[in-house]
Amino acid sequence: MSLPVINNINGGEVDSDNENRRFGTTELRRTLSEDGEENRNGDRDSGEREDAGGWEVRHGWEEQGREEYLGWLSNSFYIYYTDKRHETEGLPRDKEHLRPTEEWRMRDRLKTVSAALAICLNIGVDPPDVIKTNPTAKLECWIDPTIPTALNSKTMEMIGKKLQEQYESLSIRTRYKQYLDPSVEETRKFCQSQRRNAKDERVMFHYNGHGVPQPTDSGEIWVFNKNYTQYIPISLYDLQSWLGAPSLYVFDASHAGQILANFPRFIQKHEVENEAQKKKNPDAQLQFYGDNTLLAACDRKEDLPTNPDLPADMFTCCLTTPVEISLRHHVLQNPLTISVPLKDLSRMPGKLQERRSPLGELNWIFTAITDTIAWSSFDGDTFKKLFRQDLMVAALFRNFLLAKRIMRIYECHPQSIPRLPDTHDHPLWQSWDTAVDLSIRQLPAIIEADEKGETYEYLHSDFFTNQLTAFEKNLAGGASPEKPPEQLPIVLQVLLSQVHRLRALILLSRFLDLGPWAVDMALRIGIFPYVLKLLQSAAPELKPVMIFIWARILAVDPRCQVDLIKDSGFQYFVNLLSPGFVLPVSNNSEHRAMCAFVVAMICRGYNQGQNVCLNAELYNSCVTHLQDPDNPLLRQWSCLCLGMLWNKHPEAKLEAIQLKAHLHVCEMARDPVPEVRAAALHALTMFIYIAEEAPAVDEIITEVVWRVLVMRHDANVMVRRELLAFFSKLVTRYPAKFPVVAIDHLDREINLLRESEARADHDNPNGALAAKYYVEQDDLVKGGPPRNTRYDTTMVGAVWLSLQVLTADPHPGLAQHAQAIVDHVYQKGMSTPAVGRILRVNKDRVERLIQARDWHPPKAASPYPAPPQGPTTPPALPKNESYLSIGMLSSGIRKVVGAFNQKPESISALQGSTASDGNQPRQLRGPPRAHMPNEWVRPPNEHDQASVGTTLPKRKAPKPRRYKLNDPHNLPTFPVRSHFFEWSLEYFAEPQMKPTEHDEPGSSDYNLRLWRRNRNEKIMESTQPLKAVAAREKWDVPKGVLHAQSAPMKITFHQFEDHLVATDDKDSVLIWDFEKHQLLSHFSNGNPPRTRIEEARFINEDDAALLITGASDGTIRIFRNYDDTAEVELVTGFRALWNQESEAKGGRLVFDWQQGQGKLIVAGDKKIFNIWNSATEIYSATFRSRTTFPCTSLTSDAVAGDTFVAGFADGAVRAYDMRCSDRSAMFRSWHQCKQWITDVHLQRGGNRELICGSRNGEVRLWDLRMPKSFRLINTLQESPPNSTLRALSLHEHAPVFATGTSAHEISIYNLAGGKINTLEPYNIWYMPNKSPISATAFHPHQMLLAAGAVGSPYINIWGCRGT
């Protein structure tokens, strides 16, 4: 036997690491129950073989016990229905769960357009209130004004020029004007001139008051009179009036804190005057005084330093020449270790703008350090206002941090408005000292080499390298919004360096990958202009990381699309999306998917973006990527990119039609990845709404619709939701056609219901009379619009039938959306007089006919307790069976649903086939066994009475996690709005680089999974030795009786949890803890009236299990948190059988779940098997059963997953190989049984026995290699006459099976045919007769047996002796 290959969702061989991440699971080993653990243990002793019947592994499957085969299975294990699409159903997160995107753009960005440099020195004359030390500080702007020179008269001009140069190094675009020893009048004029020229921009006023008296207690500053014979004060009130706001003030004078202390008082006075003026004259032009920033050299009672080694204007030097003052300060603070003369510090080579020079490198490091100190010390608003709003303000405040650190050593504490927290002891200042020390210690060698004319090899600082390493360590340690890495501003500075740029970008991308909070933080710090400018770089090594960064930015802030258009950055991504461009990375496809996302975001809702991106090259790129077999993300975003490109853009749609791009998107309808299928539908929904009305356009749309209709069978909720959005767009485009089709549909329903009632069902002889009572025999309303009686062969008719079926979708959210569309069609029809009149009449007729069909007269008294009968008069029509949902209630729709699997041209055959269906008893036909008595091929429970009614109120059906009930007072939005794009872009806002919580060692989820795995292994190891005992000892040890509220029809044990699930003959699901005898949860399955639950199983039992149920209407539902009534949720639901009967005692569904391959094999009344792939959520194959009899039981090989075996109503048992084509899939057909097959089962472990039991009590054992059964066991020999076999269960590992009969007996046999013992379940004391056994079930590992009986609300559990 060749080893099968489990294909992943992309169609390739499985890469367990990648695929485990894809499905959000850990790499768990397959359960031993599916490995055949017994085969690992080598030869068993002879006694064990005798107990097991003396057989080896059946069917030639010894190869499945080999170590290499089991290892391959272990690496191919997945957990299903736990992906994000199942957690969210394709709906974006609620707004309250999203981190709000903080406004990072400076909407009120200001520029300091002009600066007045007022220098009051009056060289040679000391002010009267200043007592200078001797020696004292002399330098002003690094110039000594006391040194006589040839140009001594020009000293003041030199100082002014030098100060301007120092400020220009901070902001070259600001206009500077020097005012040397100004008078009061000059001060007034230049202040007013500055405000007049700046308009609403910021102006700066720099005041050097070293040659005038100190500021007064009221904050007045001093200037001169015209003749320089007097000092004249200027009040702050006047200064504020002249300069207005916004303004920036720098005061370098002793007692400068007086100014800051009084400044707010005068601002408040101005505002009061403004308010008074506004009351007098509302139209008056008022001066703004609100936005002012002040920097002062010292506090109120502090004098400036007079150390002769320091400059006199030390505060100004700190603000304008931070590197030079830092060098001098460092030398002064380390006299014993540094012997560099102060005069040589000016010989430090380089320029501030040259980052590779010593001086430029220091300036670069200083900027990074002060930015980081500010970001980590101040709140976000303060940081943004002072360090990102204005280049001049940002530079001065960075340098102000240095001033606060240095000047405090000299008992001088600079002040500011706004007041800032103290940062002098920030740890990063040590890094600054280290960088300064390294440069100073190399200065003597630099000077020596320069004097000799040699080149000195400067040793650059490793500051940025070390900071990047620290940043990397912080990321590895787990950064969070509460504790972000403090090196982030430094990383942004490193982007300026080509040496470190690539590493910095990679680390930045890792940071952005942490989530939206990280992107917000990086944008607020100032990343955007850096990465925008880097789009101009042609370096190929930067392109992959730039794509990643921009994808994260646009996922958080889509408004950046405008910036990409302005600077032609869009072309960067359009070019990279081309298939001919190869990126220097291994995962080209993933980066192209990011490019497609970026282009889609550029086009999304932005007409200018669509215009610049519209070209054939982009279309061809996306169409080519649709064929990429390796990366579903690329296919998904290629579809979405096309959808955004042609959404509401006629020229783009015309271009797509010419290139046939829309047809390529249609080909994605059968893509193996649900996200790709949903993306294709989303794109086509954007495409079909073409405003132009023309036959050619209708033909294009019709072709698209027929190609898309295959997705109405999709098992994925997200895809079907997108299909409803697609249908709603069609309804919007053809508002007149759908009401007409609705009329034809109602006419057809009326005819079918009349024919059905005319035949008078045997169980309802009054049905025809009731129909006659209800149906009005008036003439058809005339005057209506012309109608197409073959509506179901048209595109609109097929869509309408699809909508009718979707109104009964097992997912309540989708059913609600479909109902809204149907309501909209009827409302549109009702608004038209002619159509509305016909709709109202036909609606009334259908409602009455359905009421007549559902009216049953009282039945004869039953010996079994039953709930009270309803009224003998026809009941009122329930709300959920109104005309808006008649499609699933009338008889004709069942055939219509079956037509979904046919081609459009064959749908017309339904009109002749539906009329014969009706409500007649189902006669199972089909040669060559048609001569058998009818009772042989009917279900044994056909004549069972209704189960005992529950004493609890009817339970609610669990709803999906994102389900929201429509407000009945407000009409739902139309057309149905799709949220798929928003959901898809969340992928790029979520972490992708780090492992999931389940895969992260040490996480709670990981530890819980590890604990479960160890527990599971212990359970299997402890139960393996009990197999031999189970085949000999009696199974009569009572383990408990559970009160199930209603008669259990299906019972299933969980493999490892102490959970038992029981379902009744309607829709109730009960979960028990069978060890504690405690009811854990009780809820409704949600299947429609007159249907029942047919199967219930557990999936993902190795981990957090889910519960899967199948109902007789052909629907499958999967629940999470099933053991908690308050927390249980519907994961997904879909229609597994499209042409299934849904009437009670009519429809039947059986399924088998293969955990190993994620396959769900489903069969029912019809002659097909649907194989559903849980990874792709589409049916992967359909096999014909080769008989007209319904399938009654189903089992499959749970290890390899290639074979399944089915039992049928005529007694036949057939085996199929899913690896073969439909034509050759059936490889074995046994006909030794002559009656209804009650159950067929293939062991997961043990000897892999295959067993079946038929209605007449025959139990046969089979080998797939043999043409006949090799053992027959007659289990009804000792039972009363006319007894039938009602239940059969086979233990998964032990060689025992149990039978339940109509005589209220349970018998346990070993596989050798020996009867071990017989049991009678506990029953209700007042029941006169012994009720038939309804269900039996073995625990998969433990030696436990559970059983229930018809009409009895009890579940009995027994154990085996000796276990």
Side-chain angles (χ1 to χ4, degrees), residues 1011-1033:
W1011 175 83
R1012 286 195 185 109
R1013 183 177 65 181
N1014 294 333
R1015 177 205 60 182
N1016 300 347
E1017 291 180 349
K1018 289 180 180 179
I1019 290 175
M1020 290 183 288
E1021 290 173 1
S1022 63
T1023 56
Q1024 290 302 319
L1026 305 179
K1027 296 183 300 180
V1029 179
R1032 296 190 302 264
E1033 299 295 336

PDB file of all heavy atoms in Angstrom, residues 1011-1033:
ATOM      1  N   TRP A1011      -0.180  19.689  29.033  1.00  0.00           N
ATOM      2  CA  TRP A1011      -0.826  18.914  30.089  1.00  0.00           C
ATOM      3  C   TRP A1011      -1.861  17.958  29.502  1.00  0.00           C
ATOM      4  O   TRP A1011      -1.954  16.800  29.924  1.00  0.00           O
ATOM      5  CB  TRP A1011      -1.494  19.868  31.081  1.00  0.00           C
ATOM      6  CG  TRP A1011      -2.288  19.144  32.127  1.00  0.00           C
ATOM      7  CD1 TRP A1011      -1.824  18.588  33.278  1.00  0.00           C
ATOM      8  CD2 TRP A1011      -3.699  18.872  32.079  1.00  0.00           C
ATOM      9  NE1 TRP A1011      -2.858  17.994  33.976  1.00  0.00           N
ATOM     10  CE2 TRP A1011      -4.012  18.147  33.263  1.00  0.00           C
ATOM     11  CE3 TRP A1011      -4.708  19.158  31.172  1.00  0.00           C
ATOM     12  CZ2 TRP A1011      -5.303  17.721  33.545  1.00  0.00           C
ATOM     13  CZ3 TRP A1011      -6.002  18.733  31.454  1.00  0.00           C
ATOM     14  CH2 TRP A1011      -6.282  18.028  32.628  1.00  0.00           C
ATOM     15  N   ARG A1012      -2.630  18.442  28.549  1.00  0.00           N
ATOM     16  CA  ARG A1012      -3.636  17.566  27.933  1.00  0.00           C
ATOM     17  C   ARG A1012      -2.983  16.377  27.246  1.00  0.00           C
ATOM     18  O   ARG A1012      -3.479  15.245  27.327  1.00  0.00           O
ATOM     19  CB  ARG A1012      -4.462  18.363  26.919  1.00  0.00           C
ATOM     20  CG  ARG A1012      -5.467  19.322  27.525  1.00  0.00           C
ATOM     21  CD  ARG A1012      -6.459  19.760  26.470  1.00  0.00           C
ATOM     22  NE  ARG A1012      -7.380  20.770  26.965  1.00  0.00           N
ATOM     23  CZ  ARG A1012      -7.362  22.039  26.594  1.00  0.00           C
ATOM     24  NH1 ARG A1012      -6.446  22.456  25.728  1.00  0.00           N
ATOM     25  NH2 ARG A1012      -8.230  22.887  27.069  1.00  0.00           N
ATOM     26  N   ARG A1013      -1.879  16.625  26.554  1.00  0.00           N
ATOM     27  CA  ARG A1013      -1.211  15.530  25.856  1.00  0.00           C
ATOM     28  C   ARG A1013      -0.720  14.477  26.840  1.00  0.00           C
ATOM     29  O   ARG A1013      -0.904  13.270  26.619  1.00  0.00           O
ATOM     30  CB  ARG A1013      -0.045  16.073  25.041  1.00  0.00           C
ATOM     31  CG  ARG A1013       0.662  15.007  24.223  1.00  0.00           C
ATOM     32  CD  ARG A1013       1.753  15.600  23.370  1.00  0.00           C
ATOM     33  NE  ARG A1013       2.827  16.159  24.187  1.00  0.00           N
ATOM     34  CZ  ARG A1013       3.900  16.761  23.691  1.00  0.00           C
ATOM     35  NH1 ARG A1013       4.013  16.909  22.377  1.00  0.00           N
ATOM     36  NH2 ARG A1013       4.840  17.226  24.481  1.00  0.00           N
ATOM     37  N   ASN A1014      -0.121  14.916  27.940  1.00  0.00           N
ATOM     38  CA  ASN A1014       0.351  13.954  28.936  1.00  0.00           C
ATOM     39  C   ASN A1014      -0.807  13.195  29.570  1.00  0.00           C
ATOM     40  O   ASN A1014      -0.716  11.976  29.798  1.00  0.00           O
ATOM     41  CB  ASN A1014       1.154  14.684  30.020  1.00  0.00           C
ATOM     42  CG  ASN A1014       2.429  15.286  29.479  1.00  0.00           C
ATOM     43  OD1 ASN A1014       2.993  14.800  28.494  1.00  0.00           O
ATOM     44  ND2 ASN A1014       2.900  16.364  30.110  1.00  0.00           N
ATOM     45  N   ARG A1015      -1.900  13.913  29.843  1.00  0.00           N
ATOM     46  CA  ARG A1015      -3.062  13.242  30.405  1.00  0.00           C
ATOM     47  C   ARG A1015      -3.613  12.205  29.444  1.00  0.00           C
ATOM     48  O   ARG A1015      -3.954  11.075  29.832  1.00  0.00           O
ATOM     49  CB  ARG A1015      -4.134  14.274  30.729  1.00  0.00           C
ATOM     50  CG  ARG A1015      -5.433  13.670  31.249  1.00  0.00           C
ATOM     51  CD  ARG A1015      -6.607  14.577  30.990  1.00  0.00           C
ATOM     52  NE  ARG A1015      -6.800  14.832  29.576  1.00  0.00           N
ATOM     53  CZ  ARG A1015      -7.750  15.640  29.097  1.00  0.00           C
ATOM     54  NH1 ARG A1015      -8.552  16.277  29.917  1.00  0.00           N
ATOM     55  NH2 ARG A1015      -7.863  15.826  27.792  1.00  0.00           N
ATOM     56  N   ASN A1016      -3.697  12.567  28.160  1.00  0.00           N
ATOM     57  CA  ASN A1016      -4.239  11.639  27.173  1.00  0.00           C
ATOM     58  C   ASN A1016      -3.401  10.378  27.073  1.00  0.00           C
ATOM     59  O   ASN A1016      -3.931   9.253  26.975  1.00  0.00           O
ATOM     60  CB  ASN A1016      -4.321  12.322  25.807  1.00  0.00           C
ATOM     61  CG  ASN A1016      -5.215  13.544  25.821  1.00  0.00           C
ATOM     62  OD1 ASN A1016      -5.970  13.769  26.769  1.00  0.00           O
ATOM     63  ND2 ASN A1016      -5.134  14.349  24.776  1.00  0.00           N
ATOM     64  N   GLU A1017      -2.095  10.546  27.085  1.00  0.00           N
ATOM     65  CA  GLU A1017      -1.231   9.379  26.993  1.00  0.00           C
ATOM     66  C   GLU A1017      -1.391   8.471  28.210  1.00  0.00           C
ATOM     67  O   GLU A1017      -1.386   7.242  28.089  1.00  0.00           O
ATOM     68  CB  GLU A1017       0.215   9.826  26.839  1.00  0.00           C
ATOM     69  CG  GLU A1017       0.513  10.481  25.495  1.00  0.00           C
ATOM     70  CD  GLU A1017       1.961  10.910  25.375  1.00  0.00           C
ATOM     71  OE1 GLU A1017       2.663  10.886  26.407  1.00  0.00           O
ATOM     72  OE2 GLU A1017       2.376  11.260  24.258  1.00  0.00           O
ATOM     73  N   LYS A1018      -1.547   9.077  29.377  1.00  0.00           N
ATOM     74  CA  LYS A1018      -1.740   8.262  30.576  1.00  0.00           C
ATOM     75  C   LYS A1018      -3.046   7.479  30.501  1.00  0.00           C
ATOM     76  O   LYS A1018      -3.115   6.310  30.909  1.00  0.00           O
ATOM     77  CB  LYS A1018      -1.734   9.156  31.811  1.00  0.00           C
ATOM     78  CG  LYS A1018      -0.360   9.722  32.161  1.00  0.00           C
ATOM     79  CD  LYS A1018      -0.436  10.607  33.401  1.00  0.00           C
ATOM     80  CE  LYS A1018       0.939  11.176  33.737  1.00  0.00           C
ATOM     81  NZ  LYS A1018       0.886  12.069  34.939  1.00  0.00           N
ATOM     82  N   ILE A1019      -4.094   8.118  29.990  1.00  0.00           N
ATOM     83  CA  ILE A1019      -5.382   7.423  29.862  1.00  0.00           C
ATOM     84  C   ILE A1019      -5.241   6.239  28.923  1.00  0.00           C
ATOM     85  O   ILE A1019      -5.723   5.125  29.226  1.00  0.00           O
ATOM     86  CB  ILE A1019      -6.464   8.388  29.374  1.00  0.00           C
ATOM     87  CG1 ILE A1019      -6.804   9.406  30.470  1.00  0.00           C
ATOM     88  CG2 ILE A1019      -7.729   7.631  28.948  1.00  0.00           C
ATOM     89  CD1 ILE A1019      -7.785  10.473  30.027  1.00  0.00           C
ATOM     90  N   MET A1020      -4.570   6.424  27.802  1.00  0.00           N
ATOM     91  CA  MET A1020      -4.437   5.330  26.843  1.00  0.00           C
ATOM     92  C   MET A1020      -3.557   4.214  27.386  1.00  0.00           C
ATOM     93  O   MET A1020      -3.856   3.028  27.208  1.00  0.00           O
ATOM     94  CB  MET A1020      -3.887   5.876  25.529  1.00  0.00           C
ATOM     95  CG  MET A1020      -4.885   6.756  24.796  1.00  0.00           C
ATOM     96  SD  MET A1020      -4.294   7.355  23.207  1.00  0.00           S
ATOM     97  CE  MET A1020      -3.068   8.539  23.730  1.00  0.00           C
ATOM     98  N   GLU A1021      -2.487   4.581  28.063  1.00  0.00           N
ATOM     99  CA  GLU A1021      -1.607   3.558  28.618  1.00  0.00           C
ATOM    100  C   GLU A1021      -2.300   2.757  29.713  1.00  0.00           C
ATOM    101  O   GLU A1021      -2.103   1.545  29.830  1.00  0.00           O
ATOM    102  CB  GLU A1021      -0.348   4.218  29.174  1.00  0.00           C
ATOM    103  CG  GLU A1021       0.566   4.786  28.094  1.00  0.00           C
ATOM    104  CD  GLU A1021       1.723   5.576  28.691  1.00  0.00           C
ATOM    105  OE1 GLU A1021       1.789   5.650  29.943  1.00  0.00           O
ATOM    106  OE2 GLU A1021       2.531   6.110  27.915  1.00  0.00           O
ATOM    107  N   SER A1022      -3.127   3.419  30.492  1.00  0.00           N
ATOM    108  CA  SER A1022      -3.790   2.719  31.592  1.00  0.00           C
ATOM    109  C   SER A1022      -4.916   1.813  31.124  1.00  0.00           C
ATOM    110  O   SER A1022      -5.268   0.847  31.810  1.00  0.00           O
ATOM    111  CB  SER A1022      -4.334   3.734  32.603  1.00  0.00           C
ATOM    112  OG  SER A1022      -5.318   4.552  32.006  1.00  0.00           O
ATOM    113  N   THR A1023      -5.499   2.104  29.960  1.00  0.00           N
ATOM    114  CA  THR A1023      -6.630   1.297  29.489  1.00  0.00           C
ATOM    115  C   THR A1023      -6.228   0.188  28.538  1.00  0.00           C
ATOM    116  O   THR A1023      -7.015  -0.729  28.302  1.00  0.00           O
ATOM    117  CB  THR A1023      -7.660   2.189  28.795  1.00  0.00           C
ATOM    118  OG1 THR A1023      -7.020   2.911  27.732  1.00  0.00           O
ATOM    119  CG2 THR A1023      -8.269   3.182  29.771  1.00  0.00           C
ATOM    120  N   GLN A1024      -5.015   0.224  27.995  1.00  0.00           N
ATOM    121  CA  GLN A1024      -4.607  -0.816  27.048  1.00  0.00           C
ATOM    122  C   GLN A1024      -4.628  -2.219  27.668  1.00  0.00           C
ATOM    123  O   GLN A1024      -5.107  -3.171  27.045  1.00  0.00           O
ATOM    124  CB  GLN A1024      -3.224  -0.501  26.481  1.00  0.00           C
ATOM    125  CG  GLN A1024      -3.172   0.689  25.539  1.00  0.00           C
ATOM    126  CD  GLN A1024      -4.087   0.534  24.353  1.00  0.00           C
ATOM    127  OE1 GLN A1024      -4.201  -0.545  23.777  1.00  0.00           O
ATOM    128  NE2 GLN A1024      -4.758   1.606  23.988  1.00  0.00           N
ATOM    129  N   PRO A1025      -4.144  -2.411  28.884  1.00  0.00           N
ATOM    130  CA  PRO A1025      -4.146  -3.781  29.441  1.00  0.00           C
ATOM    131  C   PRO A1025      -5.530  -4.332  29.744  1.00  0.00           C
ATOM    132  O   PRO A1025      -5.658  -5.519  30.041  1.00  0.00           O
ATOM    133  CB  PRO A1025      -3.331  -3.612  30.745  1.00  0.00           C
ATOM    134  CG  PRO A1025      -2.567  -2.352  30.594  1.00  0.00           C
ATOM    135  CD  PRO A1025      -3.419  -1.476  29.768  1.00  0.00           C
ATOM    136  N   LEU A1026      -6.584  -3.506  29.693  1.00  0.00           N
ATOM    137  CA  LEU A1026      -7.925  -3.950  30.063  1.00  0.00           C
ATOM    138  C   LEU A1026      -8.669  -4.610  28.922  1.00  0.00           C
ATOM    139  O   LEU A1026      -9.780  -5.108  29.116  1.00  0.00           O
ATOM    140  CB  LEU A1026      -8.731  -2.751  30.576  1.00  0.00           C
ATOM    141  CG  LEU A1026      -8.101  -1.951  31.728  1.00  0.00           C
ATOM    142  CD1 LEU A1026      -9.010  -0.787  32.107  1.00  0.00           C
ATOM    143  CD2 LEU A1026      -7.841  -2.847  32.931  1.00  0.00           C
ATOM    144  N   LYS A1027      -8.070  -4.619  27.746  1.00  0.00           N
ATOM    145  CA  LYS A1027      -8.788  -5.168  26.587  1.00  0.00           C
ATOM    146  C   LYS A1027      -9.106  -6.648  26.764  1.00  0.00           C
ATOM    147  O   LYS A1027     -10.218  -7.102  26.471  1.00  0.00           O
ATOM    148  CB  LYS A1027      -7.960  -4.971  25.321  1.00  0.00           C
ATOM    149  CG  LYS A1027      -7.737  -3.533  24.943  1.00  0.00           C
ATOM    150  CD  LYS A1027      -6.958  -3.435  23.636  1.00  0.00           C
ATOM    151  CE  LYS A1027      -5.596  -4.114  23.805  1.00  0.00           C
ATOM    152  NZ  LYS A1027      -4.801  -4.042  22.561  1.00  0.00           N
ATOM    153  N   ALA A1028      -8.110  -7.400  27.244  1.00  0.00           N
ATOM    154  CA  ALA A1028      -8.324  -8.841  27.384  1.00  0.00           C
ATOM    155  C   ALA A1028      -9.381  -9.133  28.439  1.00  0.00           C
ATOM    156  O   ALA A1028     -10.210 -10.043  28.289  1.00  0.00           O
ATOM    157  CB  ALA A1028      -6.995  -9.512  27.745  1.00  0.00           C
ATOM    158  N   VAL A1029      -9.388  -8.342  29.506  1.00  0.00           N
ATOM    159  CA  VAL A1029     -10.388  -8.544  30.550  1.00  0.00           C
ATOM    160  C   VAL A1029     -11.786  -8.260  30.014  1.00  0.00           C
ATOM    161  O   VAL A1029     -12.753  -8.962  30.339  1.00  0.00           O
ATOM    162  CB  VAL A1029     -10.077  -7.624  31.754  1.00  0.00           C
ATOM    163  CG1 VAL A1029     -11.122  -7.787  32.843  1.00  0.00           C
ATOM    164  CG2 VAL A1029      -8.690  -7.911  32.292  1.00  0.00           C
ATOM    165  N   ALA A1030     -11.890  -7.256  29.163  1.00  0.00           N
ATOM    166  CA  ALA A1030     -13.206  -6.868  28.654  1.00  0.00           C
ATOM    167  C   ALA A1030     -13.855  -7.961  27.833  1.00  0.00           C
ATOM    168  O   ALA A1030     -15.090  -8.036  27.761  1.00  0.00           O
ATOM    169  CB  ALA A1030     -13.074  -5.595  27.821  1.00  0.00           C
ATOM    170  N   ALA A1031     -13.052  -8.833  27.211  1.00  0.00           N
ATOM    171  CA  ALA A1031     -13.621  -9.899  26.364  1.00  0.00           C
ATOM    172  C   ALA A1031     -14.089 -11.092  27.174  1.00  0.00           C
ATOM    173  O   ALA A1031     -14.756 -11.972  26.630  1.00  0.00           O
ATOM    174  CB  ALA A1031     -12.575 -10.344  25.336  1.00  0.00           C
ATOM    175  N   ARG A1032     -13.774 -11.141  28.500  1.00  0.00           N
ATOM    176  CA  ARG A1032     -14.146 -12.297  29.316  1.00  0.00           C
ATOM    177  C   ARG A1032     -15.150 -11.942  30.402  1.00  0.00           C
ATOM    178  O   ARG A1032     -16.091 -12.694  30.659  1.00  0.00           O
ATOM    179  CB  ARG A1032     -12.902 -12.873  29.986  1.00  0.00           C
ATOM    180  CG  ARG A1032     -11.863 -13.425  29.032  1.00  0.00           C
ATOM    181  CD  ARG A1032     -10.801 -14.186  29.795  1.00  0.00           C
ATOM    182  NE  ARG A1032     -10.131 -13.365  30.794  1.00  0.00           N
ATOM    183  CZ  ARG A1032      -8.978 -12.735  30.590  1.00  0.00           C
ATOM    184  NH1 ARG A1032      -8.386 -12.854  29.422  1.00  0.00           N
ATOM    185  NH2 ARG A1032      -8.438 -12.006  31.539  1.00  0.00           N
ATOM    186  N   GLU A1033     -14.931 -10.809  31.062  1.00  0.00           N
ATOM    187  CA  GLU A1033     -15.722 -10.479  32.240  1.00  0.00           C
ATOM    188  C   GLU A1033     -17.059  -9.821  31.869  1.00  0.00           C
ATOM    189  O   GLU A1033     -17.206  -9.232  30.804  1.00  0.00           O
ATOM    190  CB  GLU A1033     -14.925  -9.529  33.138  1.00  0.00           C
ATOM    191  CG  GLU A1033     -13.624 -10.110  33.652  1.00  0.00           C
ATOM    192  CD  GLU A1033     -13.837 -11.295  34.576  1.00  0.00           C
ATOM    193  OE1 GLU A1033     -14.929 -11.383  35.180  1.00  0.00           O
ATOM    194  OE2 GLU A1033     -12.916 -12.140  34.692  1.00  0.00           O
TER     195      GLU A1033
END
